[in-house]
Amino acid sequence: MPKGIKDRVAIIGMGCVRFGERWDMSAEDLMVEAFQESLTDAGISRDDIDAAWLSVGFDSINVGPSGIPAAMALQLDSIPVTKVENYCASGTDAFRGAVYAVASGASDIALAIGVEKLKDTGYGGLPVRSRGTNYDLFGVTGSAPGNFAQLAMAYESKNGVSRRDLKEAMAHISVKSHDNALKNPKAHLRKAISVETVLNAPLIADPLGLYDCCGVSDGAACAIVTTPEKAKELGLDNIVTVKALQLATSNGWETRSSDWDGSYVNTTRVAAKRAYAEAGIENPKESLDLMEVHDCFSITELVTMEDLGVSEPGTAYRDVLSGVFDSDGRLPVQIDGGLKCFGHPIGASGLRMIYEMYLQLLGRAGDRQRAGRVRLGLTHNLGGMPSQSVAAVSIIGRLGD
Amino acid sequence: MSNTVGITAFGSYIPWRRFDRREMAKHTSWYQKAAGASGERAWCGWDEDVLTMAVEAARDCLPQPGTRDVSAVLLASTTAPFADRSGAAIVRQAINASGDSLCLDVGGSYRAGTSALLTALRMSAGQGGQTLCVASERVTSEPSSAEELQSGDAAAAFVVGVGDTVIAEYLGSHSIATDFVDHFRPRDSVVNYAWESRWARDEGVLSLAPAAVQEALKQSDLTAADVDRFILPVPMKGAAASVAKKLGIRADAVVAGLDTVVGHCGTAAPLLELAHALEGLLPGQCVVVASFGSGCDALVLRRTQAPLRAPRRGVSGWLARRTTDNTYLKFLAAREMVHLSGGMRAEFDEKQSMPALWRNQSALLSLTGVRDEATGEVVFPPPAGSRPTEDSFSGVFLADHPATVTTLTADRLAYSLDPPTHYGVIDFDGGGRMTAEYCDVEPGTLAVGSTVRMMFRIKTLDGRRGFRSYFWKAAPELDTSTQEEEDG
């Protein structure tokens, strides 16, 4: 077991633009806006940054290939800029690049920035794209909701949950995120909805209806990281650090072996287990105070509660319905509105989750600040589809805690 | 082993969808009154064509699972999707027959089905060996035309060989080739141009068919009285009965035909009727199969004493596997007679890479996975570095393995000509898993644990370049199968 990066890297500045339909902003404009916020927050100048990672999900309607667009937009002078693409987990993976650069000592201050410009696509939902020459030969021409809807079907079947109970739990998740987003000025969808609205919405991919799907947004978010020592040199005393940062990628086991029943996301389980070990967490249910998970669809959030070990197998739907994960519950999940309502600009989403943890840990989350203890937060960023996924789990806390 | 030449196995395919002709006529009645529209016609969904139907008909007559002991494949059609890309070769590969099989695509007129069968019989008589002969037709007609109502999509297949396994012995035949033009289709047209059917019947069918049948009977040392089944599927009412009467063939020998439940299926029509007739033909009974198109073919066959190798479903089984779908615009869109707005999602460029198709041909066309000899695990698609030619991996032909639904969804967001797109993870009996599209799904009937069977379908239509690729989809195993496996 490697010794890990617990408390070896500090987050000293973060930025996040208002997510939504940013018709008047280019991807580059969005990056600049998020970057300026993070520089001001960190109290450094752009020349202090010595390496950068750019995360993008769909580069063809975004900034195009390579790290050059970030270097140009942010005027980063000849430093290494690496573009990261790892499906919807790209944002956390870019963060991982910056964090590891600092942890290794190769970099003093590193930047991770993620951006997406989905509203330039021309239609709702994610853009249709090739998954590569080989995959396209065999792969079904499906959609993200279709891929995740299968989780619900398998979950029902495995756990003997009725469609009605599952749909109500899923609706509770979406209603919760809409409620939470009302207190978030940067959220894309800020409108309360009712359980009935969710249940009566048109089906997108059976059993997921319109309100079981997250927002598709424009947006950018970024993080500036350094060592805790450097953070202290910069005059910080309340220092947010990375306790764990893990990424797990499917090797094809799920699509190859009948041992996987389709009702959970294996990579989430693996990444979580490693992250808990790295952070020294033995009982996540007790230790974690807040979670931002990859709620691309309501069913994903529900299943993720079990995959992260904060609900017992087969019981997440009951925990959801009993309010455990509500903003005033025992373990609030998506207190900022989540992908569902803050929005899901792919490349930025992982960094947006960390942004929220950072604000909450520093007590800067405004109206949506969690009442009570915020000591350890978890972010979960999931790319691909349940059968072929990349899951990133980070645990964020304060130095010394 | 005897030297008997004839048919050793027969099969067919009729698409799941049926259109009620009265309902179809209503759609165009404001424009053209269709007199006497009755019954229903079979029609292909967007992902079916002559080749997918041909493969299913071929599979219907071959042992499942089993060896594909054929050395030649003949495919007859006038509506094959490609003018230059061998359909017979695709059929050959989809049924996993030997790569050195002689494969030939034939067409030219609706008579091509019987001519191909005749060719197969003569090949076997001359050199032995088994030939797979398939006829498949998916005629595209002008909306509101009589032909649109009369036609149906279907395919039929036969294995022809020599020896004790012959179930229908070839006795004789006669062919007349002549330029009688009842309809025609220029190279650059997708629809036929038809002449008045009364003329085609009186001057064509009633003149050419009796001559051909009479000579075929003579070649077979039989008389009209010996005929137990008479097949002459032409879309003119009463034509077959008139020919029979003219020849002295018993009226009750005239096969009623599948026009009211399938529709006239061009080159496949006489062969589909033959496949249907063989289901009930008793040993010793004779059948005459005649076809009409740029002349006339007539073949005479007699049921032997050999036990019938029943098709997996057969005509009766396919007829029972059905749904009524009277959505006229969907019908037209599936035949590319109308362009529906699919929104921007439909604009995705489906250009296919020929090297990639070629590299993966056995996985794509034959649904061949690999078995890891070390672990026994069956993997599909074959993982990187597992070419079946290597010793540590062996090929597994998964197309005939039943499978179970593990996950599923009905996706209304992904673009499809026939939404919702059903798909999910399936597990094959005996090992192997794939993420598959489900086809022929009655919404709401598929569930985790349902049994599915693989069917050969169009995977991708590249409209921009006119190309299409094929792959396998999983169809619900409906409880309509009349026969299972082989009985003898």
Side-chain angles (χ1 to χ4, degrees):
Chain A
M1 182 79 191
K3 68 177 182 180
I5 56 154
K6 184 180 179 184
D7 287 335
R8 295 172 65 192
V9 179
I11 305 172
I12 56 167
M14 291 210 69
C16 182
V17 305
R18 178 175 62 78
F19 286 3
E21 296 178 325
R22 303 292 302 265
W23 306 116
D24 58 335
M25 301 279 274
S26 68
E28 286 80 359
D29 291 333
L30 292 166
M31 278 196 283
V32 168
E33 190 180 311
F35 184 53
Q36 289 297 352
E37 184 187 343
S38 68
L39 283 180
T40 306
D41 183 31
I44 62 166
S45 80
R46 76 184 69 212
D47 296 336
D48 295 326
I49 294 167
D50 54 25
W53 275 260
L54 164 67
S55 57
V56 163
F58 291 79
D59 67 11
S60 63
I61 54 148
N62 194 316
V63 294
S66 89
I68 296 168
M72 288 176 66
L74 309 182
Q75 284 299 292
L76 303 172
D77 188 11
S78 304
I79 65 167
V81 182
T82 302
K83 199 190 84 170
V84 174
E85 189 282 306
N86 221 345
Y87 278 142
C88 295
S90 303
T92 308
D93 210 356
F95 183 68
R96 184 168 159 270
V99 165
Y100 278 19
V102 167
S104 73
S107 178
D108 269 344
I109 300 180
L111 169 76
I113 186 160
V115 66
E116 208 70 47
K117 196 75 191 83
L118 294 175
K119 300 314 295 183
D120 278 0
T121 304
Y123 51 89
L126 295 178
V128 184
R129 67 169 164 186
S130 167
R131 288 179 193 264
T133 310
N134 214 57
Y135 181 96
D136 287 354
L137 296 173
F138 299 94
V140 174
T141 309
S143 69
N147 291 330
F148 281 87
Q150 295 171 55
L151 265 183
M153 295 290 201
Y155 183 91
E156 271 178 1
S157 168
K158 180 188 185 182
N159 297 305
V161 182
S162 71
R163 174 66 54 90
R164 187 194 158 92
D165 286 350
L166 190 65
K167 286 280 280 187
E168 285 194 357
M170 284 157 51
H172 185 103
I173 286 170
S174 297
V175 168
K176 163 179 69 75
S177 289
H178 275 262
D179 285 346
N180 291 349
L182 287 174
K183 295 179 178 172
N184 180 357
K186 287 183 174 177
H188 180 176
L189 304 170
R190 304 186 68 202
K191 185 183 153 206
I193 57 168
S194 69
V195 168
E196 289 65 41
T197 304
V198 180
L199 294 177
N200 296 329
L203 278 178
I204 301 296
D206 198 14
L208 304 180
L210 180 64
Y211 289 99
D212 291 303
C213 307
C214 73
V216 169
S217 326
D218 297 333
C222 67
I224 297 172
V225 293
T226 188
T227 58
E229 295 73 31
K230 183 86 181 170
K232 283 175 195 161
E233 280 174 34
L234 288 167
L236 296 178
D237 47 12
N238 191 12
I239 295 173
V240 173
T241 59
V242 180
K243 304 291 183 185
L245 189 44
Q246 292 291 336
L247 198 82
T249 314
S250 293
N251 69 355
W253 170 74
E254 301 93 327
T255 45
R256 201 172 58 221
S257 167
S258 55
D259 292 342
W260 181 66
D261 62 20
S263 73
Y264 63 97
V265 179
N266 188 55
T267 54
T268 295
R269 293 185 175 189
V270 174
K273 200 175 155 194
R274 285 191 201 136
Y276 295 146
E278 186 172 29
I281 291 174
E282 282 172 6
N283 186 346
K285 219 189 288 190
E286 300 303 322
S287 303
L288 295 171
D289 303 314
L290 212 53
M291 300 204 303
E292 286 294 323
V293 304
H294 200 87
D295 58 327
C296 49
F297 303 96
S298 55
I299 187 62
T300 322
E301 179 171 330
L302 189 147
V303 164
T304 300
M305 297 304 103
E306 294 178 22
D307 290 342
L308 293 175
V310 296
S311 282
E312 295 305 315
T315 68
Y317 75 100
R318 287 207 288 265
D319 289 347
V320 164
L321 286 169
S322 64
V324 171
F325 308 116
D326 292 357
S327 61
D328 58 354
R330 186 164 51 75
L331 177 55
V333 176
Q334 326 300 69
I335 203 163
D336 64 357
L339 299 175
K340 175 75 191 79
C341 294
F342 202 143
H344 187 20
I346 311 294
S349 284
L351 287 156
R352 183 275 300 162
M353 298 172 183
I354 295 164
Y355 168 77
E356 181 65 15
M357 283 306 154
Y358 173 81
L359 293 183
Q360 293 279 347
L361 282 160
L362 295 176
R364 284 166 45 188
D367 290 347
R368 65 180 188 278
Q369 179 68 39
R370 192 201 169 183
R373 184 186 78 172
V374 185
R375 204 174 61 94
L376 276 181
L378 177 147
T379 73
H380 161 258
N381 196 193
L382 181 66
M385 52 185 124
S387 61
Q388 272 179 21
S389 58
V390 45
V393 172
S394 85
I395 296 171
I396 312 289
R398 270 185 301 264
L399 189 66
D401 271 350
Chain B
M1 198 176 90
S2 75
N3 292 323
T4 310
V5 172
I7 290 166
T8 62
F10 60 98
S12 59
Y13 178 73
I14 300 163
W16 182 59
R17 290 174 179 78
R18 314 294 156 76
F19 212 121
D20 185 296
R21 288 198 176 97
R22 281 194 192 86
E23 293 299 317
M24 182 176 271
K26 278 183 195 167
H27 287 282
T28 50
S29 62
W30 62 273
Y31 184 66
Q32 187 118 290
K33 287 273 182 257
S38 66
E40 56 188 21
R41 58 157 296 169
W43 62 284
C44 288
W46 75 268
D47 62 349
E48 295 184 276
D49 65 10
V50 158
L51 303 186
T52 64
M53 290 196 295
V55 168
E56 289 305 327
R59 295 175 75 214
D60 196 45
C61 77
L62 293 165
Q64 290 197 40
T67 52
R68 277 68 171 96
D69 187 20
V70 297
S71 53
V73 177
L74 304 183
L75 173 62
S77 183
T78 70
T79 50
F82 289 91
D84 190 344
R85 182 188 179 194
S86 171
I90 289 172
V91 172
R92 193 285 297 165
Q93 198 145 14
I95 61 167
N96 211 18
S98 172
D100 59 7
S101 304
L102 175 72
C103 288
L104 184 65
D105 295 77
V106 296
S109 82
Y110 283 171
R111 194 160 53 88
T114 50
S115 297
L117 181 59
L118 203 43
T119 305
L121 290 162
R122 288 178 182 175
M123 280 165 64
S124 285
Q127 1 171 294
Q130 294 213 100
T131 297
L132 173 71
C133 173
V134 194
S136 180
E137 204 78 87
R138 180 185 175 276
V139 173
T140 299
S141 311
E142 280 187 311
S144 178
S145 64
E147 186 193 64
E148 183 184 47
L149 285 166
Q150 286 164 352
S151 299
D153 305 333
F158 297 91
V159 179
V160 170
V162 190
D164 299 333
T165 55
V166 167
I167 56 148
E169 182 186 5
Y170 169 54
L171 300 179
S173 67
H174 188 71
S175 295
I176 296 169
T178 189
D179 190 34
F180 185 93
V181 186
D182 64 314
H183 74 267
F184 65 92
R185 177 161 18 105
R187 174 60 91 187
D188 58 354
S189 175
V190 293
V191 295
N192 290 326
Y193 185 88
W195 207 260
E196 186 183 12
S197 71
R198 292 178 59 80
W199 170 76
R201 181 190 63 193
D202 295 349
E203 288 295 300
V205 177
L206 296 189
S207 151
L208 296 170
V213 172
Q214 196 156 34
E215 187 58 27
L217 286 170
K218 193 174 155 194
Q219 295 290 328
S220 312
D221 288 328
L222 295 176
T223 66
D226 298 321
V227 177
D228 299 295
R229 297 280 194 287
F230 179 60
I231 294 168
L232 174 58
V234 287
M236 308 105 173
K237 218 168 184 150
S242 300
V243 172
K245 192 174 177 186
K246 212 167 176 175
L247 288 163
I249 293 172
R250 296 195 313 273
D252 63 5
V254 178
V255 165
L258 298 161
D259 280 355
T260 56
V261 284
V262 178
H264 191 263
C265 49
T267 55
L271 273 57
L272 185 73
E273 299 288 357
L274 176 60
H276 193 208
L278 284 172
E279 287 180 13
L281 208 63
L282 300 173
Q285 289 189 318
C286 291
V287 56
V288 170
V289 190
S291 66
F292 181 72
S294 294
C296 189
D297 281 341
L299 287 78
V300 186
L301 298 151
R302 180 168 53 209
R303 178 74 176 90
T304 67
Q305 302 292 327
L308 212 60
R309 190 169 95 193
R312 195 170 78 80
R313 286 192 184 277
V315 172
S316 312
W318 291 119
L319 285 175
R321 179 190 181 274
R322 65 186 300 288
T323 191
T324 300
D325 191 343
N326 296 334
T327 320
Y328 190 54
L329 268 179
K330 192 199 284 186
F331 171 85
L332 292 180
R335 305 177 100 76
E336 295 174 84
M337 291 304 283
V338 61
H339 176 77
L340 302 178
S341 167
M344 289 188 190
R345 283 187 178 276
E347 294 170 6
F348 181 69
D349 190 351
E350 299 277 13
K351 184 176 183 177
Q352 303 285 296
S353 161
M354 300 307 152
L357 288 173
W358 172 243
R359 282 194 298 274
N360 293 283
Q361 46 156 339
S362 72
L364 290 167
L365 295 180
S366 313
L367 201 69
T368 304
V370 294
R371 176 179 282 112
D372 185 332
E373 295 298 352
T375 63
E377 192 180 34
V378 177
V379 186
F380 187 87
S386 67
R387 302 272 174 227
T389 49
E390 290 175 21
D391 293 342
S392 49
F393 296 95
S394 58
V396 183
F397 180 47
L398 290 167
D400 291 339
H401 294 213
T404 305
V405 172
T406 298
T407 69
L408 77 155
T409 188
D411 189 337
R412 287 164 176 79
L413 180 63
Y415 172 72
S416 166
L417 259 174
D418 189 13
T421 308
H422 291 85
Y423 56 95
V425 174
I426 60 169
D427 284 296
F428 290 103
D429 290 5
R433 158 174 282 202
M434 73 182 277
T435 303
E437 189 171 332
Y438 300 115
C439 60
D440 297 351
V441 179
E442 201 79 66
T445 58
L446 206 58
V448 172
S450 296
T451 300
V452 288
R453 278 190 187 262
M454 304 313 291
M455 296 188 89
F456 191 72
R457 293 295 172 107
I458 294 169
K459 164 89 167 68
T460 302
L461 282 175
D462 173 7
R464 198 174 299 182
R465 297 162 197 87
F467 190 75
R468 60 188 59 185
S469 67
Y470 297 90
F471 191 40
W472 296 80
K473 298 182 184 177
E477 179 74 335
L478 304 176
D479 195 21
T480 58
S481 180
T482 52
Q483 285 126 346
E484 274 298 322
E485 310 303 323
E486 51 194 294
D487 65 1

